[in-house]
Coordinates of all heavy atoms in Angstrom, one line a residue:
M796 N 131.0 128.6 111.3 CA 129.7 128.4 112.1 C 129.2 127.0 111.9 O 129.2 126.5 110.9 CB 128.7 129.5 111.5 CG 127.5 129.4 112.3 SD 126.3 130.7 111.8 CE 125.0 130.2 112.6
L797 N 128.9 126.4 113.1 CA 128.4 125.1 113.1 C 126.9 125.1 113.2 O 126.3 125.7 114.2 CB 129.0 124.4 114.4 CG 128.5 122.9 114.5 CD1 129.0 122.0 113.4 CD2 129.1 122.3 115.9
V798 N 126.2 124.4 112.4 CA 124.7 124.3 112.4 C 124.4 122.9 112.6 O 124.9 122.0 111.9 CB 124.1 124.9 111.1 CG1 122.7 124.7 111.1 CG2 124.5 126.3 110.9
I799 N 123.7 122.7 113.6 CA 123.3 121.2 114.0 C 121.7 121.1 113.6 O 120.9 121.9 114.1 CB 123.5 120.9 115.4 CG1 124.9 121.1 115.7 CG2 123.0 119.4 115.7 CD1 125.3 120.9 117.3
F800 N 121.4 120.2 112.6 CA 120.0 120.1 112.2 C 119.8 118.6 112.0 O 120.7 117.7 112.1 CB 119.7 120.8 110.9 CG 120.5 120.2 109.8 CD1 120.0 119.3 108.9 CD2 121.7 120.9 109.5 CE1 120.6 118.9 107.8 CE2 122.4 120.3 108.4 CZ 121.9 119.3 107.5
G801 N 118.4 118.2 112.0 CA 118.1 116.8 111.9 C 116.6 116.6 112.0 O 115.9 117.6 111.8
L802 N 116.2 115.4 112.3 CA 114.8 115.0 112.2 C 114.5 114.4 113.6 O 115.3 113.8 114.2 CB 114.5 114.0 111.1 CG 114.6 114.5 109.7 CD1 114.3 113.2 108.8 CD2 113.8 115.6 109.4
S803 N 113.3 114.7 114.1 CA 112.8 114.2 115.4 C 111.6 113.5 115.1 O 110.6 114.0 114.4 CB 112.6 115.4 116.4 OG 111.8 114.9 117.5
R804 N 111.4 112.2 115.6 CA 110.3 111.4 115.5 C 109.6 111.2 116.9 O 110.4 110.9 117.8 CB 110.5 110.1 114.8 CG 110.8 110.4 113.3 CD 110.8 109.0 112.5 NE 111.2 109.3 111.2 CZ 112.2 108.7 110.7 NH1 113.0 107.9 111.3 NH2 112.6 109.0 109.5
K805 N 108.3 111.4 117.0 CA 107.6 111.1 118.2 C 106.4 110.4 118.0 O 105.7 110.6 116.9 CB 107.5 112.4 118.9 CG 107.0 112.3 120.3 CD 107.0 113.6 121.1 CE 106.6 113.4 122.5 NZ 106.5 114.6 123.3
E806 N 106.0 109.5 118.8 CA 104.7 108.7 118.7 C 103.8 109.0 119.9 O 104.3 109.1 121.0 CB 105.1 107.2 118.7 CG 105.8 106.8 117.4 CD 105.9 105.3 117.4 OE1 105.6 104.6 118.4 OE2 106.5 104.7 116.4
W807 N 102.5 109.0 119.6 CA 101.5 109.2 120.6 C 100.6 108.1 120.5 O 100.0 107.7 119.3 CB 100.7 110.4 120.3 CG 101.4 111.6 120.7 CD1 101.4 112.3 122.0 CD2 102.2 112.5 119.9 NE1 102.2 113.4 121.9 CE2 102.7 113.6 120.7 CE3 102.7 112.4 118.6 CZ2 103.6 114.5 120.2 CZ3 103.5 113.4 118.1 CH2 104.0 114.4 118.9
P808 N 100.3 107.2 121.5 CA 99.4 106.1 121.4 C 98.0 106.7 121.4 O 97.6 107.6 122.1 CB 99.6 105.4 122.7 CG 100.2 106.3 123.6 CD 101.0 107.3 122.8
L809 N 97.1 106.1 120.5 CA 95.8 106.5 120.3 C 94.8 105.5 120.8 O 93.5 105.7 120.7 CB 95.5 107.0 118.8 CG 96.3 108.1 118.3 CD1 95.9 108.3 116.9 CD2 96.0 109.3 119.1
G810 N 95.2 104.3 121.1 CA 94.3 103.2 121.6 C 94.5 102.0 120.9 O 95.6 101.8 120.2
L811 N 93.6 101.1 120.9 CA 93.7 99.8 120.3 C 92.5 99.7 119.2 O 91.4 100.2 119.5 CB 93.4 98.7 121.3 CG 94.5 98.6 122.3 CD1 94.1 97.5 123.4 CD2 95.8 98.2 121.8
V812 N 92.8 99.1 118.2 CA 91.8 98.8 117.1 C 91.9 97.4 116.8 O 92.9 96.7 116.8 CB 92.1 99.6 115.8 CG1 91.9 101.1 116.0 CG2 93.4 99.4 115.2
S813 N 90.7 96.7 116.3 CA 90.6 95.4 116.0 C 91.0 95.2 114.6 O 90.2 95.6 113.7 CB 89.3 94.8 116.5 OG 89.3 93.6 116.3
L814 N 91.9 94.5 114.2 CA 92.4 94.2 112.8 C 92.9 92.9 112.7 O 93.3 92.2 113.6 CB 93.4 95.2 112.4 CG 93.1 96.7 112.0 CD1 94.3 97.4 111.8 CD2 92.1 96.7 110.8
V815 N 93.1 92.4 111.5 CA 93.9 91.1 111.1 C 95.2 91.6 110.5 O 95.1 92.4 109.6 CB 93.0 90.3 110.2 CG1 93.9 89.0 109.8 CG2 91.7 89.8 110.9
C816 N 96.3 91.2 111.0 CA 97.5 91.5 110.5 C 97.7 91.1 109.1 O 97.5 89.9 108.8 CB 98.7 91.0 111.4 SG 100.4 91.4 110.8
A817 N 98.2 91.9 108.2 CA 98.4 91.6 106.7 C 99.7 90.7 106.6 O 99.7 90.0 105.5 CB 98.5 92.8 106.0
V818 N 100.5 90.6 107.5 CA 101.8 89.9 107.4 C 101.7 88.5 108.1 O 101.9 87.5 107.3 CB 103.0 90.7 108.0 CG1 104.2 89.8 108.0 CG2 103.1 92.0 107.4
C819 N 101.2 88.4 109.3 CA 101.2 87.1 109.9 C 99.9 86.5 110.2 O 99.7 85.4 110.5 CB 101.9 87.2 111.3 SG 100.9 88.1 112.6
G820 N 98.7 87.4 109.8 CA 97.4 86.9 109.9 C 96.9 86.8 111.4 O 95.8 86.3 111.6
H821 N 97.6 87.4 112.3 CA 97.1 87.5 113.8 C 95.9 88.3 113.9 O 95.9 89.6 113.5 CB 98.2 88.0 114.6 CG 97.8 88.1 116.0 ND1 97.7 87.1 116.9 CD2 97.6 89.3 116.8 CE1 97.4 87.6 118.0 NE2 97.3 88.9 117.9
P822 N 94.8 87.9 114.3 CA 93.5 88.6 114.4 C 93.5 89.2 115.9 O 94.0 88.5 116.9 CB 92.4 87.6 114.2 CG 93.0 86.3 114.7 CD 94.6 86.3 114.4
G823 N 93.0 90.3 116.0 CA 92.9 90.9 117.4 C 93.3 92.4 117.5 O 93.5 93.0 116.5
P824 N 93.5 92.9 118.6 CA 93.7 94.3 118.9 C 95.1 94.7 118.5 O 96.1 93.9 118.8 CB 93.5 94.5 120.3 CG 93.7 93.2 121.0 CD 93.2 92.2 119.9
Q825 N 95.3 95.7 117.8 CA 96.5 96.3 117.4 C 96.6 97.7 118.0 O 95.7 98.4 118.0 CB 96.7 96.3 115.9 CG 96.8 94.8 115.3 CD 97.2 94.9 113.8 OE1 97.7 95.8 113.4 NE2 97.0 93.7 113.2
S826 N 97.8 98.2 118.3 CA 97.9 99.4 118.9 C 97.9 100.5 117.7 O 98.5 100.2 116.7 CB 99.2 99.7 119.8 OG 100.3 99.2 119.0
L827 N 97.2 101.6 117.9 CA 97.2 102.6 116.9 C 98.0 103.9 117.4 O 97.7 104.2 118.6 CB 95.8 103.1 116.6 CG 95.6 104.2 115.7 CD1 95.9 103.9 114.3 CD2 94.0 104.7 115.7
V828 N 99.0 104.3 116.6 CA 99.8 105.4 117.1 C 99.8 106.5 116.1 O 99.6 106.2 114.8 CB 101.2 105.0 117.4 CG1 101.3 104.0 118.5 CG2 101.8 104.3 116.2
R829 N 100.0 107.7 116.4 CA 100.2 108.8 115.5 C 101.7 109.0 115.6 O 102.3 109.4 116.7 CB 99.4 110.0 115.9 CG 99.6 111.2 115.0 CD 99.0 112.5 115.6 NE 97.6 112.3 115.8 CZ 96.6 112.4 114.9 NH1 97.0 112.6 113.6 NH2 95.4 112.2 115.2
R830 N 102.4 109.1 114.5 CA 103.8 109.3 114.4 C 104.0 110.7 113.7 O 103.6 110.8 112.5 CB 104.5 108.2 113.7 CG 106.0 108.5 113.4 CD 106.8 107.5 112.7 NE 106.8 106.3 113.6 CZ 107.3 105.1 113.1 NH1 107.7 104.9 112.0 NH2 107.4 104.2 114.1
R831 N 104.7 111.5 114.3 CA 105.0 112.8 113.8 C 106.5 113.0 113.6 O 107.3 112.6 114.4 CB 104.5 114.0 114.6 CG 103.0 114.1 114.6 CD 102.5 115.4 115.2 NE 101.0 115.5 114.9 CZ 100.2 116.0 115.8 NH1 100.6 116.5 116.9 NH2 99.0 116.0 115.6
T832 N 106.9 113.6 112.4 CA 108.3 113.8 112.1 C 108.4 115.4 111.9 O 107.6 116.0 111.3 CB 108.7 113.1 110.8 OG1 108.4 111.8 110.9 CG2 110.2 113.4 110.5
R833 N 109.5 115.9 112.6 CA 109.7 117.4 112.6 C 111.2 117.6 112.3 O 112.1 116.9 112.8 CB 109.3 118.0 113.9 CG 107.8 117.9 114.1 CD 107.5 118.6 115.3 NE 107.5 117.7 116.4 CZ 107.1 118.0 117.8 NH1 106.6 119.0 118.0 NH2 107.4 117.0 118.6
F834 N 111.4 118.6 111.6 CA 112.7 119.1 111.4 C 113.3 119.9 112.6 O 112.4 120.7 113.1 CB 112.8 120.1 110.2 CG 114.1 120.7 109.8 CD1 115.1 120.0 109.2 CD2 114.4 122.0 110.3 CE1 116.2 120.6 109.0 CE2 115.6 122.5 109.9 CZ 116.5 121.9 109.4
T835 N 114.4 119.6 113.0 CA 115.0 120.3 114.3 C 116.3 121.0 113.9 O 116.9 120.7 113.0 CB 115.4 119.2 115.3 OG1 116.4 118.3 114.8 CG2 114.1 118.3 115.8
L836 N 116.4 122.1 114.6 CA 117.5 123.0 114.5 C 118.1 123.2 115.8 O 117.4 123.6 116.7 CB 117.1 124.3 113.8 CG 118.3 125.3 113.5 CD1 119.1 124.6 112.4 CD2 117.7 126.6 112.9
F837 N 119.3 122.8 116.0 CA 119.9 122.7 117.3 C 119.1 121.9 118.4 O 118.8 122.5 119.5 CB 120.2 124.2 117.9 CG 121.2 124.9 117.1 CD1 120.8 125.9 116.1 CD2 122.6 124.5 117.2 CE1 121.8 126.6 115.4 CE2 123.5 125.2 116.4 CZ 123.2 126.1 115.4
F838 N 118.6 120.8 117.9 CA 117.7 119.9 118.8 C 116.3 120.5 119.3 O 115.7 119.9 120.0 CB 118.5 119.5 120.0 CG 119.8 118.9 119.7 CD1 121.0 119.5 119.9 CD2 119.9 117.5 119.2 CE1 122.3 119.0 119.6 CE2 121.1 117.0 118.7 CZ 122.2 117.8 119.0
V839 N 115.9 121.6 118.6 CA 114.6 122.2 118.9 C 113.8 122.0 117.6 O 114.2 122.3 116.6 CB 114.8 123.7 119.1 CG1 113.4 124.3 119.3 CG2 115.7 123.9 120.3
P840 N 112.6 121.3 117.8 CA 111.7 121.1 116.7 C 111.2 122.4 116.2 O 110.6 123.3 117.0 CB 110.6 120.2 117.2 CG 111.0 119.9 118.6 CD 112.2 120.7 119.0
V841 N 111.4 122.7 114.9 CA 110.9 124.0 114.4 C 109.9 123.9 113.2 O 109.2 124.9 113.0 CB 112.1 124.8 113.9 CG1 113.0 125.3 115.0 CG2 113.0 124.2 112.9
L842 N 109.9 122.8 112.6 CA 109.0 122.6 111.4 C 108.4 121.3 111.3 O 109.1 120.3 111.2 CB 109.9 122.9 110.2 CG 109.1 122.8 108.8 CD1 108.1 124.0 108.7 CD2 110.1 123.0 107.6
P843 N 107.1 121.2 111.4 CA 106.5 119.8 111.2 C 106.6 119.4 109.7 O 106.2 120.1 108.9 CB 105.0 120.1 111.6 CG 104.8 121.5 111.5 CD 106.1 122.2 111.6
L844 N 107.0 118.1 109.5 CA 107.1 117.7 108.2 C 106.1 116.6 107.9 O 105.5 116.6 106.7 CB 108.5 117.0 108.0 CG 109.7 117.8 108.2 CD1 111.0 117.1 108.1 CD2 109.7 118.9 107.1
R845 N 105.7 115.7 108.8 CA 104.8 114.6 108.4 C 104.1 114.2 109.6 O 104.7 114.1 110.7 CB 105.7 113.5 107.8 CG 104.9 112.3 107.4 CD 105.8 111.2 106.8 NE 107.2 111.4 106.7 CZ 108.0 110.6 106.3 NH1 107.6 109.5 105.9 NH2 109.3 110.9 106.2
S846 N 102.9 113.7 109.4 CA 102.1 113.0 110.5 C 101.3 111.9 109.8 O 100.7 112.1 108.8 CB 101.1 114.1 111.0 OG 100.3 113.5 112.0
R847 N 101.5 110.8 110.5 CA 100.7 109.6 109.9 C 100.3 108.8 111.0 O 100.8 108.7 112.2 CB 101.7 108.8 109.0 CG 102.9 108.3 109.6 CD 103.8 107.4 108.8 NE 104.0 108.0 107.5 CZ 104.8 107.4 106.5 NH1 105.3 106.2 106.7 NH2 105.0 107.9 105.3
L848 N 99.3 107.9 110.7 CA 98.7 106.9 111.6 C 99.2 105.6 111.2 O 99.3 105.2 110.1 CB 97.2 107.0 111.5 CG 96.5 108.3 111.9 CD1 95.0 108.2 111.5 CD2 96.8 108.6 113.3
E849 N 99.6 104.8 112.2 CA 100.1 103.5 112.0 C 99.5 102.5 113.1 O 99.3 102.9 114.2 CB 101.6 103.5 112.1 CG 102.3 104.2 111.1 CD 103.9 104.1 111.3 OE1 104.4 103.6 112.2 OE2 104.6 104.6 110.3
T850 N 99.3 101.2 112.6 CA 98.9 100.3 113.5 C 100.1 99.3 113.7 O 101.0 99.2 112.8 CB 97.8 99.4 113.0 OG1 98.1 98.8 111.8 CG2 96.6 100.3 112.9
R851 N 100.3 98.7 114.9 CA 101.4 97.8 115.2 C 100.9 96.5 115.6 O 100.2 96.4 116.6 CB 102.3 98.4 116.1 CG 103.6 97.6 116.4 CD 104.7 98.3 117.1 NE 105.0 99.6 116.2 CZ 105.2 100.8 116.7 NH1 104.9 101.1 118.0 NH2 105.4 101.8 116.0
C852 N 101.3 95.3 114.9 CA 100.8 94.0 115.3 C 101.6 93.6 116.6 O 102.8 93.6 116.7 CB 101.1 93.1 114.2 SG 100.7 91.4 114.6
P853 N 100.9 93.1 117.6 CA 101.6 92.7 118.8 C 102.3 91.3 118.6 O 103.2 91.0 119.4 CB 100.5 92.5 119.9 CG 99.2 92.2 119.0 CD 99.5 93.0 117.7
A854 N 101.9 90.5 117.6 CA 102.5 89.3 117.4 C 103.9 89.4 116.7 O 104.9 88.7 117.0 CB 101.6 88.3 116.7
C855 N 103.9 90.1 115.5 CA 105.1 90.1 114.7 C 105.8 91.5 114.7 O 106.9 91.7 114.2 CB 104.8 89.7 113.3 SG 103.7 90.8 112.4
G856 N 105.1 92.5 115.3 CA 105.8 93.9 115.4 C 105.7 94.7 114.1 O 106.3 95.8 114.1
T857 N 105.0 94.2 113.1 CA 105.0 95.0 111.9 C 104.1 96.2 112.0 O 103.0 96.2 112.6 CB 104.3 94.0 110.7 OG1 105.1 92.8 110.6 CG2 104.2 94.7 109.4
S858 N 104.5 97.3 111.4 CA 103.8 98.6 111.5 C 103.2 98.7 110.1 O 103.9 98.4 109.1 CB 104.7 99.8 111.8 OG 105.1 99.7 113.1
R859 N 101.9 99.2 110.0 CA 101.3 99.4 108.8 C 100.6 100.9 108.9 O 99.9 101.2 109.8 CB 100.2 98.3 108.5 CG 99.5 98.5 107.2 CD 98.6 97.3 107.0 NE 97.4 97.4 107.7 CZ 96.3 98.0 107.3 NH1 96.3 98.5 106.1 NH2 95.2 98.1 108.1
R860 N 100.9 101.6 107.8 CA 100.3 102.9 107.7 C 98.8 102.8 107.3 O 98.5 102.0 106.4 CB 101.0 103.7 106.7 CG 100.5 105.1 106.5 CD 101.3 105.9 105.6 NE 100.7 107.3 105.4 CZ 101.1 108.1 104.5 NH1 102.1 107.7 103.6 NH2 100.6 109.3 104.4
I861 N 97.9 103.5 108.0 CA 96.5 103.5 107.7 C 96.1 104.9 107.4 O 96.6 105.8 108.0 CB 95.6 102.8 108.6 CG1 95.6 103.4 110.0 CG2 96.0 101.3 108.9 CD1 94.6 102.9 111.0
A862 N 95.1 105.0 106.6 CA 94.5 106.4 106.4 C 93.5 106.7 107.6 O 93.1 106.0 108.4 CB 93.5 106.3 105.1
R863 N 93.4 108.1 107.7 CA 92.5 108.7 108.8 C 91.2 108.2 108.7 O 90.6 107.8 109.8 CB 92.6 110.2 108.6 CG 91.8 110.8 109.8 CD 91.8 112.4 109.5 NE 93.2 112.9 109.7 CZ 93.6 113.7 110.6 NH1 92.7 114.0 111.5 NH2 94.8 114.1 110.7
D864 N 90.5 108.0 107.5 CA 89.2 107.6 107.3 C 89.1 106.0 107.7 O 88.1 105.7 108.4 CB 88.8 107.6 105.9 CG 88.5 109.1 105.5 OD1 88.4 109.9 106.5 OD2 88.5 109.5 104.2
E865 N 90.1 105.3 107.5 CA 90.1 103.9 107.9 C 90.2 103.8 109.4 O 89.5 103.0 110.0 CB 91.3 103.1 107.3 CG 91.3 101.7 107.5 CD 92.4 101.0 106.9 OE1 93.3 101.5 106.2 OE2 92.6 99.7 107.1
A866 N 91.0 104.6 110.0 CA 91.1 104.7 111.5 C 89.8 105.1 112.2 O 89.3 104.5 113.1 CB 92.3 105.5 112.0
R867 N 89.0 106.1 111.4 CA 87.8 106.5 112.0 C 86.7 105.3 112.0 O 86.0 105.1 112.8 CB 87.3 107.7 111.3 CG 87.7 108.9 111.8 CD 86.9 110.1 111.3 NE 87.6 111.2 111.4 CZ 88.1 112.2 110.4 NH1 87.9 111.8 109.2 NH2 88.8 113.1 110.7
S868 N 86.8 104.6 110.8 CA 85.9 103.5 110.6 C 86.1 102.3 111.6 O 85.2 101.6 111.8 CB 86.0 103.0 109.2 OG 87.2 102.3 108.9
L869 N 87.3 102.3 112.2 CA 87.6 101.3 113.2 C 87.3 101.7 114.6 O 87.5 101.1 115.5 CB 89.1 100.9 113.1 CG 89.6 100.2 111.8 CD1 91.0 100.2 111.7 CD2 88.9 98.8 111.7
G870 N 86.8 103.0 114.7 CA 86.4 103.4 116.0 C 87.4 104.2 116.8 O 87.2 104.6 117.9
A871 N 88.5 104.6 116.1 CA 89.5 105.4 116.8 C 89.1 106.9 116.7 O 88.6 107.4 115.8 CB 90.9 105.1 116.2
D872 N 89.6 107.6 117.8 CA 89.4 109.1 117.8 C 90.7 109.7 117.3 O 91.7 109.7 117.9 CB 89.2 109.5 119.2 CG 89.0 111.0 119.3 OD1 88.7 111.7 118.2 OD2 89.2 111.6 120.4
V873 N 90.6 110.2 116.0 CA 91.8 110.7 115.3 C 91.6 112.2 115.0 O 92.0 112.7 114.0 CB 92.3 109.9 114.0 CG1 92.8 108.6 114.5 CG2 91.0 109.8 113.2
S874 N 90.9 112.9 115.8 CA 90.5 114.2 115.5 C 91.6 115.2 115.5 O 91.7 116.3 114.7 CB 89.4 114.8 116.4 OG 89.9 114.7 117.8
A875 N 92.7 115.0 116.3 CA 93.7 116.0 116.5 C 94.7 115.8 115.3 O 94.9 114.9 114.6 CB 94.5 115.8 117.8
Ligands
ZN2200 ZN1 101.6 90.4 112.5

């Protein structure tokens, strides 16, 4: 019997937040995304594993994980 399993990652854009990049120092708006990872069985997502918020610098492309409270303090709607 052949069982096909794996991980699926999907991102949802949540808007822009104003930050200074910790890597390149670029000040300005960075995109805020919610990234969810799910376990898939036969390419069907069956089990949510992880959900995190990340910002992405438009200048250098670095992604940085941020806490939900930090995202809220920056004015983002992270209720879901
Ligand atoms: Zn940067």
